[in-house]
Amino acid sequence: MSETYKLKIAGIERDLQRFAVNDKLDIAAFILFGDVELTEKCAAELIKKCPEFDYIVTPEAKSIPLAYEMSRQSGKKYIVIRKGIKVYMDNPVAVPVSSITTQNQQYLYLGHEDGDLLEGKRVLVVDDVISTGDSLAAAVKVVEAFNGNIVACAAPLAEGDAADRKDIVYLEKLPLFFKG
């Protein structure tokens, strides 16, 4: 039986399974996929804490349900920054990104069909968990490439040292679990 971490967020509780990142560090997996109640409640609480925005932008993939639900509740469009180039993308902008949960170098891509909508608009960047901040920084660079105005970066959870940041909006802290 693997270890878990009891998370209290947006008025509900979840037991998050812990997984090893390496031999010295475990993380608690916060997965919104399939958890409609968790997604709805986190979206509502984040909207209350965030400044006014015109668009929601999120990197693919785990934060898509959250961005969708925040879009549904706020009536504002959401845009997904993709991890791969799609045939329908018009001259996509590419920004490199690394993540604590992904081993290889990746890129985030956004084509002009969506990116041009961001010019001069108030943009809320949303992710599921902010940890190292690398994914968030890459998403911000993509928005800035289209001259969008970042009003806030938000996530349900700030993991580890990210909880000390003053430039993000989050609902709860998520500890890192160091071994030995």
Coordinates of all heavy atoms in Angstrom, one line a residue, residues 73-146:
Q73 N -17.7 28.7 -15.6 CA -18.3 29.5 -14.5 C -18.1 31.0 -14.8 O -19.0 31.8 -14.3 CB -17.6 29.1 -13.2 CG -17.9 27.7 -12.7 CD -17.3 27.4 -11.4 OE1 -16.9 28.3 -10.6 NE2 -17.1 26.1 -11.1
S74 N -17.1 31.4 -15.4 CA -16.8 32.9 -15.6 C -17.4 33.4 -16.9 O -17.6 34.6 -17.1 CB -15.3 33.2 -15.6 OG -14.7 32.6 -16.8
G75 N -17.7 32.5 -17.9 CA -18.1 32.9 -19.2 C -17.0 33.4 -20.1 O -17.3 34.0 -21.2
K76 N -15.8 33.2 -19.7 CA -14.6 33.7 -20.5 C -14.0 32.5 -21.2 O -14.0 31.4 -20.7 CB -13.6 34.3 -19.6 CG -14.1 35.4 -18.7 CD -14.4 36.6 -19.4 CE -14.9 37.7 -18.5 NZ -15.0 39.0 -19.0
K77 N -13.5 32.8 -22.4 CA -12.9 31.7 -23.2 C -11.6 31.2 -22.6 O -10.9 32.0 -22.0 CB -12.6 32.3 -24.6 CG -12.0 31.3 -25.6 CD -11.8 31.9 -27.0 CE -11.0 31.1 -27.9 NZ -11.6 29.8 -28.3
Y78 N -11.3 29.9 -22.8 CA -10.0 29.4 -22.4 C -9.3 28.9 -23.6 O -9.9 28.4 -24.6 CB -10.1 28.3 -21.3 CG -10.6 26.9 -21.8 CD1 -9.6 25.9 -22.0 CD2 -11.9 26.6 -22.0 CE1 -10.0 24.6 -22.4 CE2 -12.3 25.4 -22.4 CZ -11.4 24.4 -22.6 OH -11.7 23.1 -23.0
I79 N -8.0 29.0 -23.6 CA -7.1 28.6 -24.7 C -6.1 27.6 -24.1 O -5.5 27.9 -23.1 CB -6.4 29.8 -25.3 CG1 -7.5 30.7 -25.9 CG2 -5.3 29.4 -26.3 CD1 -7.0 32.1 -26.4
V80 N -5.8 26.5 -24.8 CA -4.9 25.5 -24.4 C -3.6 25.7 -25.2 O -3.6 25.7 -26.4 CB -5.4 24.1 -24.6 CG1 -4.3 23.1 -24.2 CG2 -6.7 23.9 -23.8
I81 N -2.5 25.9 -24.5 CA -1.2 25.9 -25.1 C -0.7 24.5 -25.2 O -0.7 23.7 -24.2 CB -0.1 26.7 -24.2 CG1 -0.6 28.1 -24.0 CG2 1.2 26.7 -24.9 CD1 0.2 28.9 -23.1
R82 N -0.5 24.0 -26.4 CA -0.2 22.6 -26.7 C 1.2 22.2 -26.5 O 2.1 23.0 -26.6 CB -0.7 22.3 -28.2 CG -2.1 22.7 -28.5 CD -3.2 22.0 -27.7 NE -3.1 20.6 -27.8 CZ -3.9 19.8 -28.6 NH1 -4.8 20.4 -29.3 NH2 -3.7 18.6 -28.7
K83 N 1.4 20.9 -26.3 CA 2.7 20.3 -26.2 C 3.3 19.8 -27.5 O 4.4 19.2 -27.6 CB 2.8 19.2 -25.1 CG 2.6 19.8 -23.7 CD 2.7 18.7 -22.7 CE 2.5 19.2 -21.3 NZ 2.5 18.2 -20.3
G84 N 2.5 19.9 -28.6 CA 2.9 19.4 -29.9 C 2.2 20.3 -30.9 O 1.2 20.9 -30.7
I85 N 2.9 20.4 -32.1 CA 2.3 21.2 -33.2 C 1.2 20.4 -33.8 O 1.3 19.2 -34.1 CB 3.4 21.5 -34.2 CG1 4.4 22.5 -33.6 CG2 2.8 22.2 -35.4 CD1 5.6 22.8 -34.5
K86 N 0.1 21.1 -34.1 CA -1.1 20.5 -34.7 C -1.2 21.1 -36.1 O -0.8 22.2 -36.4 CB -2.4 20.7 -33.9 CG -2.3 20.2 -32.5 CD -2.0 18.7 -32.4 CE -1.9 18.3 -31.0 NZ -1.4 16.9 -30.9
V87 N -1.8 20.3 -37.1 CA -1.8 20.8 -38.5 C -2.7 22.0 -38.6 O -2.5 22.8 -39.5 CB -2.4 19.7 -39.4 CG1 -1.5 18.5 -39.5 CG2 -3.8 19.2 -39.0
Y88 N -3.6 22.3 -37.7 CA -4.5 23.4 -37.8 C -3.8 24.7 -37.2 O -4.4 25.8 -37.2 CB -5.8 23.2 -37.1 CG -5.7 22.7 -35.7 CD1 -5.4 23.6 -34.6 CD2 -5.8 21.4 -35.3 CE1 -5.3 23.2 -33.3 CE2 -5.7 20.9 -34.0 CZ -5.4 21.9 -33.0 OH -5.3 21.4 -31.7
M89 N -2.6 24.6 -36.7 CA -2.0 25.8 -36.1 C -1.4 26.7 -37.1 O -0.7 26.2 -38.0 CB -0.9 25.3 -35.1 CG -1.4 24.7 -33.8 SD 0.0 24.3 -32.7 CE -0.9 24.1 -31.2
D90 N -1.7 27.9 -37.0 CA -1.2 29.0 -37.9 C 0.1 29.5 -37.4 O 0.1 30.3 -36.4 CB -2.2 30.1 -38.1 CG -1.8 31.2 -38.9 OD1 -0.8 31.0 -39.7 OD2 -2.3 32.3 -38.8
N91 N 1.3 29.2 -38.0 CA 2.6 29.7 -37.6 C 2.8 29.7 -36.1 O 2.9 30.8 -35.5 CB 2.7 31.1 -38.2 CG 4.1 31.6 -38.1 OD1 5.1 30.9 -38.1 ND2 4.2 32.9 -38.1
P92 N 2.8 28.5 -35.4 CA 2.9 28.5 -34.0 C 4.2 29.0 -33.4 O 5.2 28.9 -34.0 CB 2.7 27.0 -33.7 CG 3.2 26.3 -34.9 CD 2.8 27.2 -36.0
V93 N 4.0 29.7 -32.2 CA 5.1 30.1 -31.4 C 5.5 28.9 -30.5 O 4.6 28.3 -30.0 CB 4.7 31.3 -30.5 CG1 5.7 31.6 -29.5 CG2 4.4 32.5 -31.4
A94 N 6.8 28.7 -30.4 CA 7.3 27.6 -29.5 C 8.2 28.1 -28.4 O 9.0 29.0 -28.6 CB 8.1 26.6 -30.4
V95 N 7.9 27.6 -27.2 CA 8.7 28.0 -26.0 C 9.1 26.7 -25.3 O 8.3 25.9 -25.0 CB 7.9 28.9 -25.1 CG1 8.7 29.2 -23.8 CG2 7.5 30.2 -25.8
P96 N 10.5 26.6 -25.0 CA 10.9 25.4 -24.3 C 10.4 25.4 -22.8 O 10.3 26.4 -22.2 CB 12.4 25.4 -24.3 CG 12.7 26.9 -24.6 CD 11.6 27.5 -25.3
V97 N 10.2 24.2 -22.3 CA 9.7 24.0 -20.9 C 10.2 22.7 -20.3 O 10.3 21.7 -21.0 CB 8.1 24.1 -20.8 CG1 7.5 22.9 -21.5 CG2 7.7 24.1 -19.4
S98 N 10.5 22.8 -19.0 CA 10.9 21.6 -18.3 C 9.9 21.5 -17.1 O 9.4 22.5 -16.6 CB 12.3 21.5 -17.9 OG 12.7 22.7 -17.1
S99 N 9.7 20.3 -16.5 CA 8.8 20.1 -15.4 C 9.3 19.1 -14.5 O 10.0 18.1 -14.9 CB 7.4 19.7 -16.0 OG 6.6 19.2 -15.0
I100 N 8.9 19.2 -13.2 CA 9.3 18.2 -12.2 C 8.8 16.8 -12.5 O 9.3 15.8 -12.1 CB 8.9 18.7 -10.8 CG1 9.6 17.9 -9.7 CG2 7.4 18.7 -10.6 CD1 9.5 18.4 -8.3
T101 N 7.6 16.8 -13.2 CA 7.0 15.5 -13.4 C 7.2 14.9 -14.8 O 6.7 13.9 -15.2 CB 5.4 15.6 -13.2 OG1 4.9 16.6 -14.1 CG2 5.1 15.9 -11.8
T102 N 8.0 15.6 -15.7 CA 8.4 15.2 -17.0 C 9.9 15.1 -17.1 O 10.6 16.1 -16.8 CB 7.8 16.1 -18.1 OG1 6.4 16.3 -17.8 CG2 8.0 15.6 -19.4
Q103 N 10.4 14.0 -17.7 CA 11.8 13.8 -17.7 C 12.5 14.5 -18.9 O 13.7 14.9 -18.7 CB 12.1 12.3 -17.7 CG 11.6 11.7 -16.4 CD 12.2 10.3 -16.2 OE1 13.1 9.9 -16.9 NE2 11.8 9.7 -15.1
N104 N 11.9 14.6 -20.0 CA 12.6 15.2 -21.2 C 12.2 16.6 -21.4 O 11.1 17.1 -21.0 CB 12.2 14.3 -22.4 CG 12.6 12.9 -22.3 OD1 13.7 12.6 -21.7 ND2 11.8 12.0 -22.8
Q105 N 13.0 17.3 -22.1 CA 12.7 18.7 -22.6 C 11.5 18.7 -23.4 O 11.4 17.8 -24.3 CB 13.9 19.2 -23.3 CG 13.7 20.6 -23.9 CD 13.8 21.7 -22.9 OE1 14.7 21.7 -22.0 NE2 12.8 22.6 -22.9
Q106 N 10.6 19.6 -23.2 CA 9.4 19.7 -24.0 C 9.3 21.2 -24.5 O 10.0 22.0 -24.1 CB 8.1 19.4 -23.1 CG 8.0 18.0 -22.7 CD 6.7 17.8 -22.0 OE1 6.2 18.7 -21.4 NE2 6.2 16.5 -22.0
Y107 N 8.3 21.4 -25.3 CA 8.0 22.7 -25.9 C 6.5 23.0 -25.7 O 5.7 22.0 -25.8 CB 8.4 22.9 -27.3 CG 9.9 22.9 -27.5 CD1 10.7 21.8 -27.6 CD2 10.5 24.2 -27.6 CE1 12.0 21.9 -27.7 CE2 11.9 24.3 -27.7 CZ 12.7 23.1 -27.8 OH 14.0 23.2 -27.9
L108 N 6.2 24.2 -25.5 CA 4.8 24.6 -25.6 C 4.5 25.4 -26.9 O 5.4 26.2 -27.3 CB 4.4 25.5 -24.4 CG 4.5 24.8 -23.0 CD1 4.1 25.8 -21.9 CD2 3.5 23.6 -22.9
Y109 N 3.4 25.2 -27.5 CA 3.1 25.8 -28.8 C 1.7 26.4 -28.8 O 0.8 25.9 -28.3 CB 3.1 24.7 -29.9 CG 4.3 23.9 -30.1 CD1 4.5 22.7 -29.4 CD2 5.4 24.4 -30.9 CE1 5.7 22.0 -29.5 CE2 6.5 23.6 -31.0 CZ 6.7 22.4 -30.3 OH 7.8 21.7 -30.5
L110 N 1.7 27.6 -29.4 CA 0.4 28.3 -29.6 C 0.4 28.9 -31.0 O 1.3 29.7 -31.3 CB 0.1 29.3 -28.5 CG -1.3 29.9 -28.5 CD1 -2.4 28.9 -28.3 CD2 -1.4 31.0 -27.5
G111 N -0.6 28.6 -31.8 CA -0.7 29.2 -33.1 C -1.4 30.6 -33.1 O -2.1 30.9 -32.1
H112 N -1.3 31.3 -34.1 CA -1.9 32.6 -34.2 C -3.5 32.6 -34.2 O -4.1 33.6 -33.9 CB -1.4 33.3 -35.4 CG 0.0 33.9 -35.2 ND1 0.2 35.1 -34.8 CD2 1.2 33.3 -35.4 CE1 1.5 35.3 -34.6 NE2 2.1 34.2 -35.0
E113 N -4.1 31.5 -34.6 CA -5.5 31.4 -34.6 C -6.1 31.6 -33.2 O -7.2 32.2 -33.0 CB -6.1 30.1 -35.2 CG -5.8 28.8 -34.3 CD -4.3 28.4 -34.3 OE1 -3.6 28.8 -35.2 OE2 -4.0 27.6 -33.4
D114 N -5.4 31.3 -32.1 CA -5.8 31.6 -30.8 C -4.9 32.7 -30.2 O -5.4 33.5 -29.5 CB -5.7 30.3 -29.9 CG -6.8 29.3 -30.1 OD1 -7.9 29.8 -30.4 OD2 -6.5 28.1 -29.9
G115 N -3.6 32.6 -30.4 CA -2.7 33.6 -29.8 C -3.1 35.1 -30.2 O -3.0 35.9 -29.3
D116 N -3.5 35.3 -31.4 CA -3.8 36.7 -31.8 C -5.0 37.3 -31.0 O -5.1 38.5 -30.8 CB -4.2 36.8 -33.3 CG -2.9 36.6 -34.1 OD1 -1.8 36.7 -33.6 OD2 -3.1 36.4 -35.3
L117 N -5.8 36.4 -30.4 CA -7.0 36.9 -29.6 C -6.5 37.5 -28.3 O -7.2 38.3 -27.7 CB -7.9 35.7 -29.2 CG -8.5 34.9 -30.3 CD1 -9.2 33.7 -29.8 CD2 -9.5 35.9 -31.0
L118 N -5.2 37.2 -27.9 CA -4.7 37.6 -26.6 C -4.1 39.0 -26.6 O -3.9 39.7 -25.6 CB -3.6 36.7 -26.1 CG -4.0 35.2 -26.0 CD1 -2.9 34.3 -25.5 CD2 -5.2 35.1 -25.0
E119 N -3.9 39.6 -27.8 CA -3.2 40.9 -27.9 C -4.0 42.0 -27.2 O -5.1 42.2 -27.4 CB -3.0 41.3 -29.4 CG -2.2 42.6 -29.5 CD -1.8 42.9 -30.9 OE1 -2.0 42.1 -31.8 OE2 -1.2 44.0 -31.1
G120 N -3.3 42.6 -26.2 CA -3.9 43.7 -25.4 C -4.9 43.2 -24.4 O -5.5 44.1 -23.7
K121 N -5.2 41.9 -24.3 CA -6.2 41.4 -23.4 C -5.6 41.0 -22.0 O -4.4 40.7 -21.9 CB -6.9 40.2 -24.0 CG -7.6 40.5 -25.3 CD -8.7 41.5 -25.2 CE -9.4 41.7 -26.5 NZ -10.4 42.8 -26.5
R122 N -6.5 41.0 -21.0 CA -6.1 40.6 -19.7 C -6.2 39.1 -19.7 O -7.2 38.5 -19.9 CB -7.1 41.2 -18.7 CG -7.1 42.7 -18.6 CD -8.2 43.2 -17.7 NE -9.5 42.8 -18.3 CZ -10.7 43.1 -17.8 NH1 -10.8 43.7 -16.7 NH2 -11.8 42.7 -18.4
V123 N -5.0 38.4 -19.4 CA -4.9 37.0 -19.5 C -4.6 36.4 -18.1 O -3.7 36.8 -17.4 CB -3.8 36.6 -20.5 CG1 -3.7 35.1 -20.5 CG2 -4.1 37.2 -21.8
L124 N -5.4 35.4 -17.7 CA -5.1 34.6 -16.5 C -4.5 33.3 -16.9 O -5.1 32.5 -17.7 CB -6.5 34.3 -15.8 CG -6.4 33.5 -14.6 CD1 -5.6 34.1 -13.4 CD2 -7.8 33.2 -14.1
V125 N -3.3 33.0 -16.4 CA -2.6 31.8 -16.7 C -3.0 30.8 -15.6 O -2.8 31.1 -14.4 CB -1.1 31.9 -16.9 CG1 -0.4 30.6 -17.1 CG2 -0.8 32.9 -18.0
V126 N -3.5 29.6 -15.9 CA -3.9 28.6 -15.0 C -3.2 27.3 -15.1 O -3.0 26.9 -16.3 CB -5.5 28.4 -15.1 CG1 -5.9 27.3 -14.2 CG2 -6.2 29.7 -14.8
D127 N -2.8 26.7 -14.0 CA -2.2 25.4 -14.0 C -2.8 24.6 -12.9 O -3.5 25.2 -12.0 CB -0.6 25.5 -13.9 CG 0.1 24.4 -14.6 OD1 -0.5 23.3 -14.9 OD2 1.3 24.5 -14.9
D128 N -2.5 23.3 -12.8 CA -3.0 22.5 -11.7 C -2.2 22.7 -10.4 O -2.7 22.8 -9.4 CB -3.1 21.0 -12.1 CG -1.8 20.4 -12.5 OD1 -0.9 21.1 -13.0 OD2 -1.7 19.2 -12.4
V129 N -0.9 22.6 -10.6 CA 0.0 22.8 -9.4 C 1.2 23.6 -9.9 O 1.7 23.4 -11.0 CB 0.6 21.4 -9.0 CG1 1.6 21.5 -7.8 CG2 -0.6 20.5 -8.6
I130 N 1.6 24.6 -9.1 CA 2.8 25.3 -9.3 C 3.9 24.8 -8.4 O 3.7 24.8 -7.2 CB 2.6 26.9 -9.1 CG1 1.5 27.4 -10.1 CG2 3.9 27.6 -9.3 CD1 1.0 28.8 -9.8
S131 N 4.9 24.3 -9.0 CA 6.0 23.7 -8.2 C 7.3 24.5 -8.5 O 7.6 25.5 -7.8 CB 6.2 22.3 -8.5 OG 7.2 21.7 -7.7
T132 N 8.1 24.1 -9.5 CA 9.3 24.8 -9.8 C 9.0 26.2 -10.5 O 9.8 27.1 -10.5 CB 10.2 24.0 -10.8 OG1 9.5 23.8 -12.0 CG2 10.5 22.7 -10.1
G133 N 7.8 26.3 -11.1 CA 7.4 27.5 -11.8 C 7.9 27.5 -13.3 O 7.6 28.4 -14.0
D134 N 8.6 26.4 -13.7 CA 9.1 26.4 -15.1 C 8.0 26.3 -16.1 O 8.0 27.0 -17.1 CB 10.0 25.2 -15.3 CG 11.3 25.4 -14.5 OD1 11.6 26.5 -14.1 OD2 12.0 24.4 -14.3
S135 N 6.9 25.5 -15.9 CA 5.8 25.4 -16.8 C 5.1 26.7 -16.9 O 4.7 27.2 -18.0 CB 4.8 24.3 -16.4 OG 5.5 23.0 -16.4
L136 N 4.9 27.3 -15.7 CA 4.2 28.6 -15.7 C 5.0 29.7 -16.4 O 4.4 30.4 -17.2 CB 4.1 29.0 -14.2 CG 3.1 30.1 -13.8 CD1 1.7 29.6 -14.2 CD2 3.2 30.4 -12.4
A137 N 6.3 29.7 -16.2 CA 7.1 30.7 -16.9 C 7.1 30.5 -18.4 O 7.0 31.5 -19.2 CB 8.6 30.6 -16.4
A138 N 7.0 29.3 -18.9 CA 6.9 29.0 -20.3 C 5.6 29.5 -20.8 O 5.5 30.1 -21.9 CB 7.2 27.6 -20.6
A139 N 4.5 29.2 -20.1 CA 3.2 29.7 -20.5 C 3.1 31.2 -20.6 O 2.5 31.8 -21.5 CB 2.1 29.1 -19.6
V140 N 3.7 31.9 -19.6 CA 3.8 33.3 -19.6 C 4.5 33.8 -20.8 O 4.1 34.8 -21.5 CB 4.4 33.8 -18.3 CG1 4.8 35.3 -18.4 CG2 3.5 33.6 -17.1
K141 N 5.6 33.2 -21.2 CA 6.4 33.6 -22.4 C 5.5 33.5 -23.6 O 5.6 34.3 -24.5 CB 7.7 32.8 -22.5 CG 8.7 33.2 -21.5 CD 10.0 32.4 -21.7 CE 11.0 32.7 -20.7 NZ 12.2 31.8 -20.8
V142 N 4.7 32.4 -23.7 CA 3.9 32.2 -24.9 C 2.9 33.4 -25.0 O 2.7 34.0 -26.0 CB 3.2 30.9 -24.8 CG1 2.1 30.8 -25.9 CG2 4.2 29.7 -25.0
V143 N 2.2 33.7 -23.8 CA 1.2 34.8 -23.8 C 1.9 36.1 -24.2 O 1.4 36.9 -25.0 CB 0.5 34.9 -22.4 CG1 -0.3 36.1 -22.3 CG2 -0.3 33.6 -22.2
E144 N 3.1 36.4 -23.6 CA 3.8 37.6 -23.9 C 4.2 37.7 -25.4 O 4.2 38.8 -26.0 CB 5.0 37.7 -23.0 CG 4.6 38.0 -21.6 CD 5.8 38.0 -20.6 OE1 6.9 37.4 -21.0 OE2 5.6 38.5 -19.5
A145 N 4.5 36.6 -26.0 CA 4.8 36.6 -27.5 C 3.6 37.1 -28.3 O 3.8 37.6 -29.4 CB 5.2 35.1 -27.9
F146 N 2.4 37.0 -27.8 CA 1.2 37.5 -28.5 C 0.7 38.8 -27.9 O -0.4 39.2 -28.1 CB 0.1 36.5 -28.4 CG 0.4 35.3 -29.3 CD1 0.9 34.1 -28.7 CD2 0.2 35.3 -30.7 CE1 1.2 33.0 -29.6 CE2 0.5 34.2 -31.5 CZ 1.0 33.1 -30.9

